[in-house]
Amino acid sequence: MFGVTVRDHMMIAHSLRGEVFGPAQRLHGATYVVDATFRRADVDADGIVVDIGRAAEALRAVVGELSYRNLDDEADFAGTNTTTEELARVVADRLADRVRAGDLGDGARELDGIVVTLHESHVAWASYERPL
Amino acid sequence: MFGVTVRDHMMIAHSLRGEVFGPAQRLHGATYVVDATFRRADVDADGIVVDIGRAAEALRAVVGELSYRNLDDEADFAGTNTTTEELARVVADRLADRVRAGDLGDGARELDGIVVTLHESHVAWASYERPL
Amino acid sequence: MFGVTVRDHMMIAHSLRGEVFGPAQRLHGATYVVDATFRRADVDADGIVVDIGRAAEALRAVVGELSYRNLDDEADFAGTNTTTEELARVVADRLADRVRAGDLGDGARELDGIVVTLHESHVAWASYERPL
Amino acid sequence: MFGVTVRDHMMIAHSLRGEVFGPAQRLHGATYVVDATFRRADVDADGIVVDIGRAAEALRAVVGELSYRNLDDEADFAGTNTTTEELARVVADRLADRVRAGDLGDGARELDGIVVTLHESHVAWASYERPL
Amino acid sequence: MFGVTVRDHMMIAHSLRGEVFGPAQRLHGATYVVDATFRRADVDADGIVVDIGRAAEALRAVVGELSYRNLDDEADFAGTNTTTEELARVVADRLADRVRAGDLGDGARELDGIVVTLHESHVAWASYERPL
Amino acid sequence: MFGVTVRDHMMIAHSLRGEVFGPAQRLHGATYVVDATFRRADVDADGIVVDIGRAAEALRAVVGELSYRNLDDEADFAGTNTTTEELARVVADRLADRVRAGDLGDGARELDGIVVTLHESHVAWASYERPL
């Protein structure tokens, strides 16, 4: 099994609903350093899992949709707690949509799965892994 | 599959028995930077894998039991080589005990597994992964 | 010249005023991984620059005053752009106040300077350095 | 399941064939920071997955065969695109050969698999995982 | 004194002339992770050292001139050993040219100095520091 | 001003004397990831600050003298608290001795200074800087 990972980041504001979040119930923010891993059983004829340039562009586009925003005001997240876990899923799902739409090239349709990790600090991160 | 990771560290002295360890048979020590990953098929109603504050406290408690000690003198490790691998298992098992005891909250009982990685330097680390 | 550094972090929301900030004029947020370096010409009789436990507590207290907040609503920052540079200065100045107040111990009064670095992502950081 | 990882690096020149590579079709180069993970269901009687000293030597030998070379001129890679993915496979396969040859000790024959990750920059890496 | 740093990278091939370089006399290559720090006595009216967006673009332009090239074939480096040290100076000098040309904005003319660090691996890096 | 840095590590046991050290008064240990920076006003005719191979060997030799030892039993440290700060000084001074002895080559006699940083964990490090 092969994997290729690209890294980018996004800076957002949000608040979290639920006593479990303590002070994070207040409006605050985060930088998420985002790692997106594309997994595939074998490489293609060029010797790659995916066009890494296109993968990086797709990730940049996905984090760009979230960056420099207050997620509490985004219609997409109405009723959703934008925890690190949920945001990892959102990034993975949006990348999967782009893979299916052909944005990463025809070969990317051979991908087996995506893993997205969001680092919220030097001591905490969350990841979400899904098939394609 | 989701995962949430928290990082902490511990500083210990120990020696290792067996020719395979070469100079590490002498009393020496290590800083272990410890990553504990909690894995779960889905997030809970709050959108989280586990209460990250409680997870961090549990990890702090577990590494605190080992920190600033000479493991050669600890009754718990009599007859055990405290290799990085074994210590990764110890940390994972003690975290599992705390999960079962409810220290990480009721929801944590839905966790599927734990992965613990101990970084002993910038060029070497070991991990242990177990179900819950 | 000696230096001792401790690392902590804070997660805040804010917006920045001025065209130069582009999309960062919108309400967004950041995780700042904060490194505070205490500099001193020589070590004390114990062989240290500063009590590292107290230094870490002081840093934790300072970042705790800012954490999980929307800095746009904080009276302390009225009229100030809370850029990474300015926040590095705020953290350094507040640590300096604590040094002078004796929070880091009497010996800390021998410190020569403080450098604070705020990492806002894996590709950008800012620092501020001041004498004591 | 246990894993032990050692890190080393290699610095090579190469070019890549295929339009997908854009400017990387020109002769250029890379530092690959190489992580080799040895996986095993349980530790041996010494409490280890593998003799980490021998594992590090084996990795050093494998990266040494590639280091400070123009891979375009290496007979081993004639007709192969030396992508990060392919090089991860080469490193993993050569380590597997060394395991089978007994270079990592008799116990290493109990290893279950190898994962090799090649970091080509702070924002891109690839990995290959295989059974033993 | 304030500093702001942006990070980017470049991947090049080259060889080094002189017995001191051992195997690095052969054609090989490197990824350089490049940190460019802009230093300034005080921040401007916006609370910044430099427009970080423009700083990142300037660094991207400078590393782009070198990326995906065999430096042995570049006229600019005829007769020069393209060591990590020399390349750090080249990047710093080219950034200084761009500062003076106004590419980083008028305010950037108040900058006091530039420090450029090139990381060639996880265990070696070089830096060059110059006034402006 | 130029600088070249090499990184290595050492794993030691020790205890610290003085109430300020709290639990670190007990026998424990540390991994120190050690960065040694060699500073020089200009590069030599080969375009380098120092032969990086020899610099890495010198650092390896110096950390090798301390590695896998209980510093409480070392005659060299009788009456000395082996704090991170003191060990940074020891490493720097021993490297300076090797520079003066010609171990890093004749050119290394042009070096202006050495900075040694010892990372004791992901959240704490100390450095010592001295002229040559």
Side-chain angles (χ1 to χ4, degrees):
Chain A
M1 177 63 74
F2 288 87
V4 162
T5 305
V6 289
R7 171 170 284 189
D8 210 317
H9 74 286
M10 57 187 185
M11 303 175 81
I12 58 91
H14 66 161
S15 60
L16 299 169
R17 280 165 297 104
E19 276 184 35
V20 69
F21 297 107
Q25 294 175 85
R26 300 198 298 253
L27 181 63
H28 65 287
T31 304
Y32 294 111
V33 175
V34 183
D35 296 336
T37 301
F38 300 88
R39 309 194 72 203
R40 186 171 168 170
D42 205 355
V43 290
D44 69 11
D46 288 317
I48 58 175
V49 162
V50 67
D51 179 343
I52 198 171
R54 282 183 161 195
E57 279 165 28
L59 179 59
R60 173 140 304 183
V62 169
V63 300
E65 292 164 1
L66 302 171
S67 289
Y68 297 118
R69 281 176 173 78
N70 177 0
L71 301 185
D72 293 357
D73 292 343
E74 297 292 303
D76 285 359
F77 299 120
T80 305
N81 253 347
T82 54
T83 60
T84 312
E85 292 93 324
E86 289 286 8
L87 291 173
R89 173 154 59 184
V90 167
V91 172
D93 287 351
R94 292 186 178 184
L95 285 172
D97 290 345
R98 287 174 182 265
V99 167
R100 278 190 298 256
D103 293 3
L104 283 81
D106 284 346
R109 292 204 176 87
E110 306 297 318
L111 290 169
D112 291 298
I114 291 181
V115 187
V116 169
T117 302
L118 264 62
H119 303 261
E120 69 176 53
S121 75
H122 65 304
V123 293
W125 52 98
S127 62
Y128 174 67
E129 161 172 9
R130 55 160 284 169
L132 268 178
Chain B
M1 177 62 74
F2 288 87
V4 161
T5 305
V6 289
R7 173 170 282 189
D8 210 317
H9 75 285
M10 58 188 183
M11 303 176 82
I12 59 91
H14 67 159
S15 60
L16 299 169
R17 280 165 297 103
E19 277 184 35
V20 70
F21 297 108
Q25 293 175 85
R26 299 198 299 253
L27 182 62
H28 65 287
T31 305
Y32 294 111
V33 175
V34 184
D35 296 337
T37 301
F38 300 88
R39 308 194 73 203
R40 186 170 167 169
D42 205 355
V43 291
D44 69 12
D46 288 318
I48 59 174
V49 162
V50 68
D51 178 343
I52 198 171
R54 281 183 162 196
E57 279 166 27
L59 179 59
R60 173 141 302 185
V62 169
V63 300
E65 292 165 1
L66 302 171
S67 288
Y68 298 117
R69 278 175 175 80
N70 177 1
L71 302 185
D72 293 356
D73 292 344
E74 297 292 304
D76 285 359
F77 299 120
T80 304
N81 253 348
T82 54
T83 59
T84 312
E85 292 92 325
E86 290 286 7
L87 291 173
R89 172 153 59 183
V90 167
V91 172
D93 288 351
R94 292 186 178 184
L95 285 171
D97 290 346
R98 287 175 182 264
V99 167
R100 278 190 299 257
D103 293 3
L104 283 81
D106 284 346
R109 292 203 177 88
E110 306 297 318
L111 290 169
D112 292 297
I114 291 181
V115 187
V116 169
T117 302
L118 265 61
H119 304 261
E120 70 176 53
S121 74
H122 64 305
V123 291
W125 52 96
S127 62
Y128 174 67
E129 161 171 9
R130 55 161 283 169
L132 269 177
Chain C
M1 176 63 75
F2 288 87
V4 162
T5 305
V6 289
R7 172 170 284 189
D8 211 315
H9 75 284
M10 57 187 185
M11 303 175 82
I12 59 91
H14 67 160
S15 60
L16 299 169
R17 282 166 296 104
E19 277 184 33
V20 70
F21 296 107
Q25 293 174 86
R26 301 198 297 253
L27 182 63
H28 65 288
T31 304
Y32 294 111
V33 175
V34 183
D35 296 336
T37 301
F38 300 89
R39 310 195 71 203
R40 185 170 167 171
D42 204 355
V43 290
D44 69 11
D46 288 317
I48 58 174
V49 161
V50 67
D51 178 343
I52 199 171
R54 284 184 159 192
E57 279 166 28
L59 179 59
R60 173 141 303 186
V62 168
V63 300
E65 292 164 1
L66 303 172
S67 287
Y68 297 117
R69 281 177 174 79
N70 178 359
L71 302 186
D72 294 355
D73 292 343
E74 295 293 303
D76 285 359
F77 298 120
T80 303
N81 253 349
T82 55
T83 59
T84 312
E85 292 92 323
E86 289 285 7
L87 291 173
R89 174 155 57 185
V90 166
V91 172
D93 288 350
R94 291 185 178 185
L95 286 171
D97 290 346
R98 286 173 183 265
V99 167
R100 277 190 299 255
D103 292 4
L104 282 80
D106 284 346
R109 293 204 175 87
E110 305 297 317
L111 290 169
D112 292 299
I114 291 181
V115 187
V116 169
T117 301
L118 265 62
H119 304 260
E120 70 175 51
S121 75
H122 64 304
V123 291
W125 52 96
S127 62
Y128 173 68
E129 163 172 7
R130 55 160 284 169
L132 270 177
Chain D
M1 176 63 72
F2 288 88
V4 162
T5 304
V6 288
R7 172 170 283 189
D8 210 317
H9 75 286
M10 57 187 183
M11 303 175 82
I12 57 91
H14 67 160
S15 60
L16 299 169
R17 281 165 296 105
E19 276 184 33
V20 69
F21 297 107
Q25 294 175 84
R26 299 198 298 254
L27 182 63
H28 64 288
T31 304
Y32 293 111
V33 174
V34 184
D35 296 337
T37 301
F38 300 89
R39 309 195 72 203
R40 187 171 166 169
D42 204 355
V43 290
D44 69 12
D46 288 317
I48 58 175
V49 162
V50 67
D51 178 343
I52 198 171
R54 281 183 162 195
E57 279 165 27
L59 179 59
R60 173 140 304 183
V62 169
V63 300
E65 292 164 1
L66 302 172
S67 288
Y68 298 118
R69 280 174 175 80
N70 178 359
L71 301 185
D72 294 356
D73 292 343
E74 296 292 303
D76 285 1
F77 299 121
T80 304
N81 253 348
T82 55
T83 59
T84 312
E85 291 92 324
E86 289 286 6
L87 291 173
R89 172 153 61 182
V90 167
V91 171
D93 288 351
R94 292 187 179 185
L95 286 171
D97 290 344
R98 286 173 183 267
V99 166
R100 279 190 298 256
D103 292 4
L104 283 81
D106 284 346
R109 293 205 176 86
E110 306 297 318
L111 290 169
D112 291 298
I114 291 181
V115 187
V116 169
T117 302
L118 265 62
H119 303 261
E120 70 176 53
S121 75
H122 63 304
V123 292
W125 53 95
S127 62
Y128 174 68
E129 162 171 9
R130 54 160 285 168
L132 269 178
Chain E
M1 176 64 73
F2 288 87
V4 163
T5 304
V6 289
R7 173 170 282 189
D8 209 315
H9 75 285
M10 57 186 184
M11 303 176 82
I12 58 91
H14 67 160
S15 61
L16 299 169
R17 280 165 298 105
E19 277 184 33
V20 70
F21 297 106
Q25 294 175 85
R26 299 197 300 252
L27 182 62
H28 64 288
T31 304
Y32 293 111
V33 175
V34 183
D35 297 337
T37 301
F38 299 89
R39 312 195 70 204
R40 185 170 167 171
D42 204 355
V43 290
D44 69 11
D46 287 317
I48 58 174
V49 161
V50 67
D51 179 343
I52 199 170
R54 282 183 162 195
E57 279 166 27
L59 179 59
R60 174 139 303 184
V62 169
V63 301
E65 292 164 1
L66 302 172
S67 287
Y68 298 118
R69 280 176 174 79
N70 178 359
L71 302 186
D72 294 356
D73 292 343
E74 296 293 302
D76 285 0
F77 299 120
T80 304
N81 253 349
T82 54
T83 59
T84 311
E85 291 94 322
E86 289 286 7
L87 290 173
R89 173 155 58 184
V90 166
V91 172
D93 287 351
R94 291 186 178 185
L95 286 171
D97 290 346
R98 286 174 183 266
V99 166
R100 276 190 299 256
D103 293 4
L104 283 81
D106 284 346
R109 292 204 176 87
E110 306 297 317
L111 290 169
D112 291 299
I114 291 180
V115 187
V116 169
T117 301
L118 265 62
H119 304 260
E120 69 176 52
S121 76
H122 64 304
V123 291
W125 52 96
S127 62
Y128 174 67
E129 161 172 9
R130 54 160 285 169
L132 270 177
Chain F
M1 176 64 73
F2 288 87
V4 163
T5 304
V6 289
R7 173 171 283 189
D8 210 316
H9 75 285
M10 57 187 185
M11 303 176 82
I12 59 90
H14 67 161
S15 61
L16 299 169
R17 280 165 297 104
E19 277 184 34
V20 69
F21 297 107
Q25 294 174 84
R26 301 198 298 252
L27 182 62
H28 66 288
T31 305
Y32 293 111
V33 175
V34 183
D35 296 337
T37 301
F38 299 89
R39 310 195 72 203
R40 186 170 167 171
D42 204 355
V43 290
D44 69 12
D46 288 317
I48 58 175
V49 161
V50 68
D51 178 343
I52 197 170
R54 284 183 160 194
E57 279 166 27
L59 179 59
R60 174 140 301 184
V62 169
V63 300
E65 293 164 1
L66 303 171
S67 287
Y68 298 117
R69 280 177 174 78
N70 178 359
L71 301 185
D72 294 357
D73 292 344
E74 297 292 303
D76 286 0
F77 299 120
T80 304
N81 254 348
T82 55
T83 59
T84 312
E85 292 92 323
E86 288 286 7
L87 290 173
R89 173 154 60 184
V90 166
V91 172
D93 287 352
R94 291 186 179 184
L95 285 171
D97 290 346
R98 286 174 182 265
V99 167
R100 278 191 298 257
D103 292 5
L104 282 82
D106 284 345
R109 292 203 176 88
E110 306 297 318
L111 290 169
D112 291 299
I114 291 180
V115 187
V116 169
T117 302
L118 265 63
H119 303 261
E120 70 175 55
S121 76
H122 64 304
V123 292
W125 51 98
S127 63
Y128 174 67
E129 159 172 10
R130 54 161 285 169
L132 269 176

